[in-house]
Amino acid sequence: MRAALSLAALLIPLLGVAAPPLDYRVVARYPHDPHAFTQGLVWSHGRLFESTGGYGRSSLREVDLESGRVLRERLLPRRLFGEGLTLWKDVLVQLTWREGLGLIHGREDFALRATFALAGEGWGLAQNGRHWILSDGSAWLSILDPDTGATLRRVQVTDAGRPVERLNELEWIEGACWVNVWLTERILRIDPESGAVTGELDLAALWPKTQRPPDADVLNGIAWRADRRHLLVTGKRWPWLFELAL
């Protein structure tokens, strides 16, 4: 798969064509808190963790997938707006939006263990086993040092040679970085070395906008269920979380 991704990443920008569409099948639909302004989603060994946003409403949660029930929750201070989330070893790393601050919580007790400085806004966060990967709403991904939170390098994301703006929630899946594009129903597969988009998942039909209540917001939240090789996705104030086979 790694070789195929690298070949696609090389050829797609040179040919000047958009990345190919990816197919999916819905295998399950689970209840989800319709008041949760979902910003980050993590699945690990049968456990679902979620970061929610909003000043005065931001939180870190553990959620029961089958029922949507919140098992544990830590509310963030009112001055912080929760954003992307990733699991790193035995801690959960959570971004804040405009506060220039990253939060490191214990996975088992949600206790705040440390903080680190963010240069610019925090949107999405993922990890590849060596580094943290951060989005800030632009067309760039930042590669961070997990020991210090410092930026090591930046990669511009392009589709057919054109920058892709508003990169948001991130997930690392089998050697590629997947990202949803804010204000769209698109999830992109990205080659992490070149930044080229190598595939696009169009989820507009997953929960059509014509069926949504006025307070339901955009698609946001990607988690990889490695045990089944399925994708978990939801949105801001969505009453559903979907499990997809790709």
Side-chain angles (χ1 to χ4, degrees):
M1 184 175 180
R2 177 69 239 171
L5 282 174
S6 298
L7 181 60
L10 176 64
L11 293 179
I12 287 172
L14 292 177
L15 295 174
V17 296
L22 304 174
D23 199 9
Y24 72 93
R25 174 174 53 89
V26 177
V27 297
R29 187 180 73 172
Y30 305 103
H32 180 253
D33 180 0
H35 303 294
F37 200 71
T38 305
Q39 303 289 75
L41 207 61
V42 171
W43 175 267
S44 175
H45 298 91
R47 301 168 70 183
L48 182 66
F49 300 98
E50 183 174 9
S51 170
T52 71
Y55 289 111
R57 303 188 306 275
S58 293
S59 69
L60 173 65
R61 300 175 169 189
E62 182 175 355
V63 179
D64 178 68
L65 176 64
E66 296 288 337
S67 67
R69 184 167 61 92
V70 177
L71 302 176
R72 287 190 295 156
E73 183 176 37
R74 179 188 177 95
L75 296 176
L76 271 58
R78 298 184 63 85
R79 64 182 181 84
L80 300 181
F81 192 114
E83 281 281 353
L85 182 72
T86 197
L87 178 66
W88 177 256
K89 299 179 181 178
D90 65 341
V91 297
L92 288 158
V93 186
Q94 185 178 27
L95 301 180
T96 62
W97 182 24
R98 291 176 169 172
E99 289 71 51
L101 190 67
L103 310 173
I104 300 177
H105 307 273
R107 177 184 57 191
E108 300 305 325
D109 58 9
F110 283 8
L112 183 64
R113 294 194 182 175
T115 62
F116 60 96
L118 289 177
E121 295 185 0
W123 285 44
L125 189 67
Q127 58 95 358
N128 62 8
R130 293 176 297 127
H131 303 116
W132 297 343
I133 306 166
L134 176 144
S135 66
D136 59 9
S138 69
W140 293 84
L141 297 178
S142 297
I143 313 303
L144 307 184
D145 181 344
D147 293 327
T148 64
T151 300
L152 301 176
R153 63 187 180 93
R154 281 163 60 82
V155 178
Q156 187 180 44
V157 174
T158 59
D159 189 5
R162 295 182 296 273
V164 181
E165 301 285 345
R166 302 195 305 271
L167 302 178
N168 198 6
E169 157 74 333
L170 300 171
E171 183 75 3
W172 183 264
I173 303 174
E174 297 182 346
C177 195
W178 293 59
V179 59
N180 85 276
V181 182
W182 184 51
L183 299 180
T184 78
E185 310 298 314
R186 302 162 61 208
I187 294 179
L188 307 179
R189 185 182 64 196
I190 300 165
D191 181 275
E193 297 302 322
S194 67
V197 176
T198 62
E200 176 175 338
L201 195 59
D202 183 352
L203 298 181
L206 188 62
W207 189 33
K209 290 184 179 180
T210 55
Q211 299 178 11
R212 302 180 196 176
D215 60 341
D217 211 307
V218 296
L219 176 80
N220 202 62
I222 312 170
W224 180 239
R225 188 168 185 172
D227 57 328
R228 297 184 180 179
R229 301 187 72 244
H230 287 172
L231 199 65
L232 301 175
V233 299
T234 188
K236 302 174 187 291
R237 294 194 291 263
W238 281 26
W240 309 109
L241 185 151
F242 298 87
E243 183 169 347
L244 310 179
L246 302 179

